[in-house]
Amino acid sequence: MTEKNEPVRAIVWGENRHEQVEEKVRAIYPDGMHNTIKDGLTELLGDAVSVSTATLDEPEHGLTDERLQDTDVLLWWGHAAHGEVSDEVVQRVHQHVLAGMGLIVLHSGHWSKIFTTLMGTTCTLRWRSAADRELVWTLAPDHPIAQGVPHPFIIPEQEMYGEFFDVPTPDELIFLSTFTGGEVFRSGMTYRRGRGKIFFFSPGDQDYPVYFNEHVRRVLANGVQWAAAELPQRELPVLLRYDAEDFYTGHGYRGPMQR
Amino acid sequence: MTEKNEPVRAIVWGENRHEQVEEKVRAIYPDGMHNTIKDGLTELLGDAVSVSTATLDEPEHGLTDERLQDTDVLLWWGHAAHGEVSDEVVQRVHQHVLAGMGLIVLHSGHWSKIFTTLMGTTCTLRWRSAADRELVWTLAPDHPIAQGVPHPFIIPEQEMYGEFFDVPTPDELIFLSTFTGGEVFRSGMTYRRGRGKIFFFSPGDQDYPVYFNEHVRRVLANGVQWAAAELPQRELPVLLRYDAEDFYTGHGYRGPMQR
Amino acid sequence: MTEKNEPVRAIVWGENRHEQVEEKVRAIYPDGMHNTIKDGLTELLGDAVSVSTATLDEPEHGLTDERLQDTDVLLWWGHAAHGEVSDEVVQRVHQHVLAGMGLIVLHSGHWSKIFTTLMGTTCTLRWRSAADRELVWTLAPDHPIAQGVPHPFIIPEQEMYGEFFDVPTPDELIFLSTFTGGEVFRSGMTYRRGRGKIFFFSPGDQDYPVYFNEHVRRVLANGVQWAAAELPQRELPVLLRYDAEDFYTGHGYRGPMQR
Amino acid sequence: MTEKNEPVRAIVWGENRHEQVEEKVRAIYPDGMHNTIKDGLTELLGDAVSVSTATLDEPEHGLTDERLQDTDVLLWWGHAAHGEVSDEVVQRVHQHVLAGMGLIVLHSGHWSKIFTTLMGTTCTLRWRSAADRELVWTLAPDHPIAQGVPHPFIIPEQEMYGEFFDVPTPDELIFLSTFTGGEVFRSGMTYRRGRGKIFFFSPGDQDYPVYFNEHVRRVLANGVQWAAAELPQRELPVLLRYDAEDFYTGHGYRGPMQR
């Protein structure tokens, strides 16, 4: 975990397939979406953050256990290739989140293996890619993630994501988005799972230059600071036996029948 | 789904291993825990419920798709053999819950595949099997599940389950339990996942005659009535595309690249 | 409280001032809004409900203690004359809600004394009366209040109410509304306060015939059934002293210094 | 509001009556409980906090509007003289909280005018002053308020506060306490009301030296830092009219009939 006043260590994980395959996307994001997101974080947080990137095509998708150990917050953008993400890496990320690593799930990451695993639901929704205007309204004006953006802030063109979004009721509902067509979406939500903090933020389709938007960048910078763990060390919750009056010495589990 | 005034169709699923292997458990539950739970439901709900049982050793653990289709609420008790439950059956139950089937997870079912899949967390806790007295306190006095039991109700001997219980914050916190040793546990909680309603209720170890306790029986009867779906039909949430102004005609998903 | 299978006893409280003063409103609601709401409940619930009305101009606003004792659910519509509602009556209604009476707060009732007292916040919002179309989206598809209405349902003309709505985070977020102008509002929310259940539902301005809308009527009928107390008797929470091991005999409070 | 890296400005408000009237309390807290609490904050937070005190017997209870304007977090301890607190001062504090001032309500402050006004409920509970041991268990291990204390932490002698505690479901449940007698209490909870953050923390009776306990001090220090507003300026939510497409220019309310 990061020391007080040490930079938050973030990884922006990008699937990086649209950028390679689709001319339209490459024109918007010549450096890849992950690098654009990284640039936004660095621009706003400066020395308070240390950002790197990782992509699907790297060995182990760039997410070795060693690297995750040294990461405070992982941002996840995926869409076309959720199925290609290794189950082993997903399980590894899952364990790190439950042990205290922050996770920010972006846009179509709603259908990633890591998000559906953490949520336990289908994570389905209604959608339309037709350049709707998205208005992002703040529901929690005092929340650290909502600081520094107007109410509402406006994204001129975006993919529509609409309710019903099949996810658990969030711990905190930060933003609601509406679209030209009248749809509504819970676009900014937090969840605590295990000892980890999760922020889902839906703005950010590959077909529109959303990650250059100053307000989207502000929210992501706020989110990274929020999701960085408070805990002094990473620690996976475990099942332990405790004798009466010995509150601090847990004994390992030896199976259900041998008690 | 059940028609109004038709009986709620419940299955009590029991692992049924302790009863076969351990003399002590068989002495308490000569008919198996699942049958004792079934008897409690029938005793209190009479014609308002239609209860059957299923066990691990049956083909497909007694949980075929056809049978789940005709089930409003599934109760789940497992402990020693979570690992022997087929992944395919777990996935099937998961889909039915998300589509609207009620689920009641009992006691050591906290570590079952179906519960950990729905929660997305480790579902670990602290425990001790030393015949602690358990006091069950009502936090939601107006909730249907809490009707008809004293505040607190007392279970003379029980296994201790204590916090930190690694689960998501529940949608409703109904009961808190304390134990002789001073531990505390969120012993009655509800979750909504997909279109299904889930009730976790922790009292009920195999080593103590908890399922004969009149208050535990009352809570389970209340829980079965609460978890029965409101929905007219079972329906899994799906991802669909909607054109602007056509709010009711969803189009199937054809992959992320072909939009 | 109502016996099982006895009708739910509801009062529709209407301020009934717009209907007297404004020709436009009288044209829409010739019998007064309260009677239109009553008709809707009776139409849909039949013998399952027994509905009466009360208005501001009646002695004690029609809400004597005796009458509230015999009421399961109170619906509240007010707007122009919140300040004329007697503090004594508000306190009386407050006590009944905390003791278990259901309360449904309608539309501009968001600024009523009873609602602001229960919420503890300013209950302010943004608004515009310009015949916006309101789309009402269901966030809790399995909730009893949301049964029997399409997703979304459409109110052709309505006053716009928008976020930020300064209320506590609800216990359950049932509906979100969007408006022609792109605003969004938490239009259906539940709260539990004391032993009482509260449902806030925002559709229903005096300038539009909203209470004749079939879907609005269905939601109100569902709401009345939901808000009716589960409790066998009305009981205000009290502060009591309990000796150790005597869990059921509370002793009255005799002041902070005489302990 | 406080600038980043400027000290959080806190006031510890103490009723300061027990200390004057009761020899026993004066022996424990010769400087008054408010000064002991202040000392704890200063000890742990040093330059990061600027703490002063105020008491009931001062003019306006020491809480003028000018002073509240310059305060980030108000801590409130009251018990024997809730009724003597001026309604005008309570309303003033209420407005400041809704506009963004943090509030920490301590122990028997559960029955203070400011807390019951913010909660909207009776705030009643069960209690016993018999030197029970209190165990404080952490339910939110990743929350900033819970950092730096063991799980559980132990208060050797305390007044028992038990459920049912008649308050709204909190936004975050941080701590649960159990007592020698087996009772349980939600002893650490957060609420957001308006733009303000509220932390209720129950340990701290006048008859026991609880505010000298190192873990209680740590929690209070954490709480002060958490409750300090994120907002750049204090701002009471207001009701405003917005024309379509003019999202940022609100117009004042001119009454319900003149629209």
Side-chain angles (χ1 to χ4, degrees):
Chain A
M1 298 290 111
T2 183
E3 294 288 309
K4 292 277 180 200
N5 301 320
E6 291 203 1
V8 174
R9 299 160 302 174
I11 298 176
V12 182
W13 189 89
E15 184 186 279
N16 196 32
R17 286 288 168 82
H18 289 280
E19 298 91 322
Q20 296 181 53
V21 173
E22 297 184 284
E23 178 60 40
K24 177 184 176 185
V25 178
R26 196 159 51 237
I28 302 173
Y29 293 109
D31 298 327
M33 302 176 75
H34 48 291
N35 278 311
T36 304
I37 294 168
K38 175 188 168 184
D39 290 348
L41 295 176
T42 304
E43 177 195 43
L44 289 172
L45 297 177
D47 291 345
V49 73
S50 160
V51 195
S52 60
T53 63
T55 58
L56 181 61
D57 290 336
E58 295 173 38
E60 303 191 49
H61 314 322
L63 300 173
T64 61
D65 190 64
E66 197 169 36
R67 195 168 172 201
L68 292 173
Q69 283 288 359
D70 288 336
T71 300
D72 298 309
V73 182
L74 175 64
L75 298 93
W76 192 279
W77 195 100
H79 179 224
H82 291 317
E84 295 177 41
V85 178
S86 139
D87 288 340
E88 188 187 336
V89 170
V90 171
Q91 191 184 343
R92 188 187 298 158
V93 171
H94 189 200
Q95 299 293 299
H96 275 277
V97 171
L98 298 181
M101 182 178 74
L103 178 71
I104 300 182
V105 176
L106 298 170
H107 191 59
S108 41
H110 73 91
W111 238 14
S112 63
K113 289 182 181 177
I114 182 61
F115 193 62
T116 55
T117 297
L118 280 160
M119 297 293 104
T121 57
T122 67
C123 299
T124 54
L125 43 75
R126 63 171 61 200
W127 67 278
R128 172 180 61 246
S129 191
D132 282 60
R133 180 178 72 175
E134 177 171 356
L135 302 174
V136 187
W137 302 87
T138 296
L139 271 273
D142 58 305
H143 198 282
I145 291 179
Q147 301 313 301
V149 294
H151 176 72
F153 67 87
I154 302 173
I155 303 173
E157 293 190 329
Q158 242 284 69
E159 186 179 27
M160 180 279 286
Y161 273 12
E163 299 285 345
F164 174 65
F165 184 24
D166 176 23
V167 287
T169 296
D171 291 332
E172 298 168 310
L173 177 55
I174 314 284
F175 300 116
L176 284 176
S177 287
T178 60
F179 296 85
T180 306
E183 290 87 358
V184 63
F185 195 66
R186 288 170 289 176
S187 52
M189 300 193 277
T190 71
Y191 294 93
R192 295 167 187 255
R193 291 295 183 270
R195 298 178 190 273
K197 295 160 90 174
I198 302 163
F199 174 46
F200 173 79
F201 185 58
S202 64
D205 191 66
Q206 72 279 356
D207 287 342
Y208 312 101
V210 177
Y211 291 119
F212 293 99
N213 182 294
E214 65 176 319
H215 306 309
V216 169
R217 287 185 162 200
R218 173 56 63 196
V219 169
L220 292 181
N222 291 342
V224 163
Q225 292 190 300
W226 173 84
E230 308 282 343
L231 295 162
Q233 65 207 35
R234 195 154 297 169
E235 186 185 347
L236 191 69
V238 287
L239 190 143
L240 292 172
R241 183 175 61 74
Y242 286 83
D243 292 327
E245 291 299 313
D246 183 1
F247 296 114
Y248 308 114
T249 314
H251 302 273
Y253 189 57
R254 296 193 198 86
M257 292 290 196
Q258 291 81 15
R259 284 180 196 178
Chain B
M1 296 292 111
T2 183
E3 296 287 311
K4 292 277 179 199
N5 300 321
E6 291 202 0
V8 174
R9 299 160 303 174
I11 297 176
V12 181
W13 190 88
E15 183 185 280
N16 196 32
R17 286 288 167 83
H18 289 281
E19 298 93 320
Q20 295 180 54
V21 173
E22 296 184 285
E23 179 60 40
K24 178 184 176 186
V25 178
R26 196 157 52 239
I28 302 172
Y29 293 110
D31 299 325
M33 301 176 77
H34 48 291
N35 280 310
T36 303
I37 293 168
K38 175 187 168 184
D39 291 348
L41 295 176
T42 305
E43 176 195 44
L44 288 173
L45 296 176
D47 291 345
V49 74
S50 160
V51 195
S52 61
T53 64
T55 59
L56 180 63
D57 290 335
E58 296 174 37
E60 303 191 49
H61 313 322
L63 300 174
T64 62
D65 190 64
E66 196 169 38
R67 193 168 175 202
L68 292 173
Q69 282 288 1
D70 289 335
T71 301
D72 298 308
V73 181
L74 175 64
L75 297 94
W76 192 279
W77 196 99
H79 179 225
H82 291 318
E84 295 178 40
V85 177
S86 141
D87 289 341
E88 189 188 336
V89 170
V90 171
Q91 192 184 342
R92 188 185 297 157
V93 170
H94 189 200
Q95 299 293 300
H96 275 277
V97 171
L98 297 180
M101 183 177 74
L103 179 70
I104 300 181
V105 175
L106 298 170
H107 191 59
S108 41
H110 75 90
W111 238 14
S112 63
K113 289 182 181 178
I114 183 60
F115 192 62
T116 56
T117 297
L118 281 160
M119 297 293 104
T121 55
T122 66
C123 300
T124 52
L125 43 77
R126 63 172 61 200
W127 67 278
R128 172 180 61 245
S129 192
D132 281 61
R133 178 176 75 174
E134 177 172 356
L135 302 175
V136 186
W137 301 87
T138 296
L139 272 274
D142 59 305
H143 198 282
I145 291 179
Q147 301 312 302
V149 294
H151 175 71
F153 67 86
I154 302 172
I155 302 173
E157 292 190 330
Q158 243 284 70
E159 184 178 27
M160 179 280 284
Y161 274 11
E163 299 284 346
F164 175 64
F165 183 25
D166 176 23
V167 288
T169 297
D171 291 331
E172 299 168 310
L173 178 54
I174 314 284
F175 300 116
L176 285 176
S177 287
T178 59
F179 296 85
T180 306
E183 290 86 357
V184 63
F185 195 67
R186 289 170 288 176
S187 52
M189 299 192 277
T190 71
Y191 295 93
R192 294 166 188 257
R193 290 294 183 269
R195 298 179 189 274
K197 295 159 89 174
I198 302 163
F199 175 46
F200 172 79
F201 185 59
S202 64
D205 192 67
Q206 71 278 356
D207 286 342
Y208 312 100
V210 176
Y211 291 120
F212 293 98
N213 181 294
E214 64 175 319
H215 305 309
V216 169
R217 288 185 159 200
R218 170 58 63 194
V219 169
L220 291 182
N222 291 342
V224 163
Q225 293 190 301
W226 172 85
E230 307 282 343
L231 294 161
Q233 66 206 33
R234 196 155 296 172
E235 187 186 346
L236 191 68
V238 287
L239 190 142
L240 292 171
R241 183 175 60 75
Y242 286 83
D243 292 328
E245 290 300 311
D246 183 1
F247 297 114
Y248 307 115
T249 314
H251 302 273
Y253 188 58
R254 296 193 198 88
M257 292 290 197
Q258 291 81 13
R259 285 182 194 175
Chain C
M1 297 291 112
T2 182
E3 295 287 312
K4 292 278 180 198
N5 301 320
E6 291 203 359
V8 173
R9 298 160 303 175
I11 297 177
V12 181
W13 189 89
E15 184 185 280
N16 196 31
R17 285 288 167 82
H18 290 280
E19 298 93 321
Q20 295 181 52
V21 172
E22 296 183 286
E23 179 59 39
K24 177 184 176 184
V25 178
R26 197 159 51 239
I28 301 172
Y29 294 108
D31 299 327
M33 301 176 76
H34 48 290
N35 279 312
T36 303
I37 294 167
K38 175 188 169 185
D39 291 348
L41 295 175
T42 304
E43 176 195 43
L44 288 173
L45 296 176
D47 291 345
V49 73
S50 159
V51 195
S52 60
T53 65
T55 58
L56 181 62
D57 290 336
E58 296 173 38
E60 304 190 49
H61 314 322
L63 300 173
T64 61
D65 191 65
E66 197 169 37
R67 194 166 173 203
L68 292 173
Q69 282 288 0
D70 289 336
T71 301
D72 298 309
V73 182
L74 175 64
L75 297 93
W76 192 279
W77 195 99
H79 180 223
H82 291 319
E84 295 177 43
V85 177
S86 138
D87 288 341
E88 188 187 338
V89 170
V90 171
Q91 192 185 342
R92 188 186 298 158
V93 171
H94 189 200
Q95 298 294 300
H96 275 277
V97 171
L98 298 181
M101 183 177 73
L103 178 71
I104 299 181
V105 175
L106 298 170
H107 191 60
S108 41
H110 74 91
W111 239 13
S112 63
K113 289 182 181 178
I114 183 60
F115 192 62
T116 55
T117 298
L118 281 160
M119 297 294 103
T121 56
T122 66
C123 299
T124 52
L125 43 76
R126 62 171 63 199
W127 67 278
R128 172 181 62 246
S129 191
D132 281 60
R133 179 178 73 173
E134 178 172 356
L135 302 175
V136 186
W137 302 87
T138 296
L139 271 274
D142 58 305
H143 198 281
I145 290 178
Q147 300 313 301
V149 294
H151 174 73
F153 66 87
I154 302 173
I155 302 174
E157 293 190 329
Q158 243 282 69
E159 185 178 27
M160 180 279 286
Y161 273 12
E163 299 285 344
F164 176 65
F165 185 24
D166 176 24
V167 287
T169 296
D171 291 332
E172 298 167 311
L173 179 53
I174 314 285
F175 300 116
L176 284 176
S177 287
T178 60
F179 297 85
T180 306
E183 290 87 358
V184 63
F185 195 67
R186 288 170 289 176
S187 52
M189 298 193 278
T190 71
Y191 294 93
R192 293 166 188 256
R193 290 296 183 267
R195 298 177 189 274
K197 294 159 91 174
I198 301 164
F199 175 46
F200 173 78
F201 186 59
S202 64
D205 191 67
Q206 71 280 356
D207 286 342
Y208 311 100
V210 177
Y211 291 120
F212 292 99
N213 180 294
E214 64 175 320
H215 306 309
V216 169
R217 288 186 161 200
R218 171 58 63 194
V219 169
L220 292 181
N222 291 343
V224 163
Q225 293 190 301
W226 172 85
E230 307 283 343
L231 294 162
Q233 66 206 35
R234 195 155 297 172
E235 186 185 345
L236 192 67
V238 287
L239 190 144
L240 291 171
R241 183 175 61 73
Y242 287 82
D243 292 327
E245 290 299 312
D246 183 2
F247 297 113
Y248 307 114
T249 314
H251 302 273
Y253 190 58
R254 295 194 199 86
M257 293 288 197
Q258 291 82 14
R259 286 181 193 174
Chain D
M1 296 292 112
T2 182
E3 295 287 311
K4 292 277 178 200
N5 300 319
E6 290 203 1
V8 174
R9 299 160 302 175
I11 298 177
V12 180
W13 189 88
E15 183 185 281
N16 196 30
R17 286 289 167 82
H18 288 281
E19 297 92 321
Q20 295 180 53
V21 174
E22 297 183 283
E23 179 60 39
K24 177 184 177 185
V25 178
R26 196 159 51 239
I28 302 172
Y29 293 109
D31 298 326
M33 301 176 75
H34 48 291
N35 279 311
T36 303
I37 294 167
K38 176 188 168 183
D39 292 347
L41 295 176
T42 304
E43 176 195 43
L44 288 173
L45 296 176
D47 290 345
V49 73
S50 159
V51 195
S52 62
T53 64
T55 58
L56 181 62
D57 289 336
E58 295 173 38
E60 304 190 49
H61 313 322
L63 300 174
T64 62
D65 190 64
E66 196 169 40
R67 194 168 174 203
L68 292 172
Q69 283 288 1
D70 289 335
T71 300
D72 298 309
V73 182
L74 175 64
L75 297 94
W76 192 279
W77 195 100
H79 180 224
H82 292 318
E84 294 177 43
V85 177
S86 139
D87 289 340
E88 188 188 337
V89 170
V90 171
Q91 191 184 343
R92 188 186 299 158
V93 171
H94 189 200
Q95 298 293 300
H96 276 277
V97 171
L98 297 180
M101 183 178 73
L103 178 70
I104 299 182
V105 175
L106 299 170
H107 191 59
S108 42
H110 74 91
W111 238 13
S112 63
K113 288 182 181 178
I114 183 59
F115 192 62
T116 55
T117 297
L118 281 161
M119 297 293 104
T121 57
T122 66
C123 300
T124 53
L125 45 75
R126 63 172 60 200
W127 67 278
R128 170 181 62 246
S129 192
D132 282 61
R133 179 178 73 174
E134 177 173 356
L135 302 175
V136 187
W137 302 87
T138 296
L139 273 273
D142 58 304
H143 198 282
I145 291 179
Q147 301 313 301
V149 294
H151 174 74
F153 66 86
I154 302 172
I155 303 173
E157 293 190 331
Q158 244 281 69
E159 185 179 26
M160 180 279 286
Y161 274 11
E163 300 284 346
F164 176 65
F165 184 24
D166 177 24
V167 287
T169 297
D171 291 332
E172 298 168 310
L173 178 54
I174 314 285
F175 299 116
L176 285 175
S177 286
T178 60
F179 296 84
T180 306
E183 290 86 358
V184 63
F185 194 67
R186 288 170 288 176
S187 52
M189 298 193 278
T190 71
Y191 295 92
R192 293 166 188 256
R193 290 295 183 269
R195 298 178 190 275
K197 294 159 91 174
I198 302 163
F199 175 46
F200 172 78
F201 185 59
S202 63
D205 192 67
Q206 71 279 356
D207 286 342
Y208 311 100
V210 176
Y211 291 119
F212 292 99
N213 181 294
E214 64 174 322
H215 305 309
V216 169
R217 288 185 159 201
R218 171 57 63 193
V219 168
L220 292 181
N222 290 343
V224 163
Q225 293 190 301
W226 172 85
E230 307 283 343
L231 295 163
Q233 65 206 35
R234 196 156 296 173
E235 187 186 345
L236 192 67
V238 286
L239 191 142
L240 292 171
R241 183 174 61 73
Y242 286 82
D243 293 328
E245 291 299 312
D246 183 1
F247 297 114
Y248 308 114
T249 315
H251 302 272
Y253 188 58
R254 297 195 197 86
M257 293 288 197
Q258 291 81 13
R259 285 182 195 179

